[in-house]
């Protein structure tokens, strides 16, 4: 599943390519979870100019000239494709056709990628937002005995972080993923917040450097810890892989708070 840095890179490139174009037609092919009727989606968006494309949590937001927003959640296997005149990509969910003949398609072979018209505001802060900083995380972690990795993955607590980047962030901060959240001292929470910003922003830069035009897929080769091709951390410590519903990559150099 694309995570925050991937979606940041996608939104950057899509905004460059599509902002300022006028939407001619919305084709809804297989949007099972669309929150409005096909007719309402078309009636609301068609004829509007696309003002900008940006990221919110794990979604891409397309904001139009009248203030309406089309949210796109790629889920596990959703992909985005630009096309000219006609979409030739398989498994389309929705297609946006612009007046200049260009278009954007959201596809998913599982059929569960999810477009939403005017998504509800989310209570949880974005991982890169100011309101998700030290004060927020300190107060939030004091309330839970759940392990810290589970907290970072909970989109109702902080939005945008997924499995791979949770491992990278926790290694960078020197905190074991099995640490109990309310046992982590305040000075380490400050390090955690710094690591969230450093790891995620550096990852976006690495992704765009590796693939300047990326709008789908995942670039992971640069990752230090959550990387099946690596056996040791940059500090020389063996990488341990804990199996489960999600694999967790960590090292013994990360401190356990319990």
């Amino acid at each position: 599943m694309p995570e925050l840095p991937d979606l940041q890179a996608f939104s950057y490139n899509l905004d460059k390519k599509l902002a300022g174009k006028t939407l001619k037609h919305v084709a809804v092919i297989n949007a099972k979870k669309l929150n409005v009727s096909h007719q309402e989606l078309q009636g609301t968006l068609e004829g509007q100019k696309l003002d900008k494309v940006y990221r919110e949590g794990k979604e891409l937001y397309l904001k139009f000239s009248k203030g309406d927003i089309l949210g796109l959640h790629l889920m596990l296997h959703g992909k985005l494709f630009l096309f000219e005149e006609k979409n030739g990509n398989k498994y389309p969910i929705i297609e946006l056709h612009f007046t200049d003949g260009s278009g954007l398609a959201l596809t998913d072979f599982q059929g569960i990628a999810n477009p939403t018209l005017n998504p509800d505001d989310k209570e949880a802060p974005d991982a890169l937002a100011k309101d998700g900083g030290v004060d927020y995380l300190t107060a939030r972690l004091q309330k839970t005995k759940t392990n810290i990795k589970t907290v970072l993955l909970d989109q109702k607590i902080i939005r945008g972080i997924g499995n791979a980047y949770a491992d990278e962030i926790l290694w960078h901060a020197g905190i074991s993923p099995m640490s109990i959240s309310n046992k982590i001292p305040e000075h380490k929470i400050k390090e955690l917040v710094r690591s969230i910003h450093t790891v995620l922003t550096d990852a976006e830069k690495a992704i765009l450097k590796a693939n300047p035009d990326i709008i789908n897929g995942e670039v992971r080769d640069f990752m230090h810890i959550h990387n099946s091709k690596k056996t040791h951390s940059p500090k020389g410590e063996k990488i341990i892989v804990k199996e489960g519903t999600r694999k967790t990559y960590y090292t013994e150099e990360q401190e356990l708070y319990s």
Side-chain angles (χ1 to χ4, degrees):
M1 175 184 289
E3 298 185 32
L4 188 153
D6 306 299
L7 295 167
Q8 280 283 109
F10 299 171
S11 67
Y12 174 77
N13 283 322
L14 289 171
D15 187 69
K16 284 197 307 180
K17 294 283 188 180
L18 300 177
K21 295 188 177 187
T22 299
L23 186 63
K24 180 180 180 180
H25 176 58
V26 183
V28 185
I29 298 102
N30 187 29
K32 299 174 183 177
K33 297 182 180 180
L34 182 62
N35 63 330
V36 297
S37 68
H38 297 187
Q39 292 77 15
E40 183 176 346
L41 181 70
Q42 292 164 338
T44 301
L45 297 183
E46 289 178 357
Q48 289 198 53
K49 183 178 72 173
L50 178 60
D51 276 350
K52 63 178 179 178
V53 182
Y54 61 101
R55 179 198 58 79
E56 276 287 337
K58 288 188 176 182
E59 294 181 82
L60 291 175
Y61 278 15
L62 284 69
K63 185 176 181 181
F64 290 84
S65 52
K66 293 181 181 179
D68 294 295
I69 293 172
L70 178 64
L72 300 177
H73 197 307
L74 306 186
M75 304 301 286
L76 281 172
H77 299 292
K79 291 186 177 182
L80 295 161
F81 295 96
L82 296 168
F83 63 86
E84 294 293 333
E85 301 300 340
K86 183 178 180 180
N87 173 40
N89 299 286
K90 295 181 179 179
Y91 313 113
I93 302 292
I94 191 170
E95 297 172 0
L96 305 181
H97 295 257
F98 297 96
T99 54
D100 67 349
S102 65
L104 175 68
L106 169 63
T107 72
D108 184 359
F109 72 88
Q110 288 187 320
I112 58 175
N114 186 25
T116 303
L117 179 63
N118 294 323
D120 294 332
D121 291 335
K122 309 296 192 300
E123 292 185 7
D126 187 87
L128 293 180
K130 291 182 179 179
D131 58 355
V134 174
D135 291 343
Y136 170 78
L137 268 186
T138 299
R140 193 63 184 81
L141 295 183
Q142 287 174 349
K143 298 178 181 179
T144 180
K145 297 180 180 179
T146 309
N147 73 66
I148 185 61
K149 181 173 180 180
T150 298
V151 171
L152 291 181
L153 294 178
D154 190 338
Q155 302 302 299
K156 294 182 179 179
I157 295 176
I158 187 165
R159 294 181 292 122
I161 301 171
N163 191 52
Y165 284 101
D167 288 346
E168 292 290 302
I169 288 165
L170 289 169
W171 175 80
H172 191 276
I175 300 171
S176 168
M178 279 71 78
S179 294
I180 304 304
S181 295
N182 64 2
K183 300 296 184 181
I184 300 173
E186 187 172 345
H187 76 277
K188 291 301 290 187
I189 297 175
K190 290 180 180 179
E191 288 187 33
L192 176 60
V193 171
R194 284 195 293 268
S195 293
I196 288 171
H197 285 257
T198 298
V199 169
L200 296 179
T201 54
D202 285 355
E204 180 191 357
K205 294 173 185 176
I207 290 166
L208 287 170
K209 182 178 181 180
N211 188 344
D213 298 317
I214 190 169
I215 61 168
N216 63 55
E218 299 173 0
V219 179
R220 295 284 190 265
D221 291 347
F222 60 88
M223 300 184 89
H224 296 304
I225 301 300
H226 194 101
N227 190 329
S228 61
K229 296 179 181 179
K230 294 185 178 179
T231 58
H232 291 77
S233 77
K235 299 177 182 179
E237 193 72 25
K238 183 180 178 181
I239 296 173
I240 302 166
V241 182
K242 182 181 179 182
E243 299 289 342
T245 305
R246 297 182 177 94
K247 288 185 178 180
T248 294
Y249 291 66
Y250 67 103
T251 73
E252 294 292 351
E253 62 202 336
Q254 295 167 246
E255 191 163 355
L256 176 64
Y257 297 95
S258 59

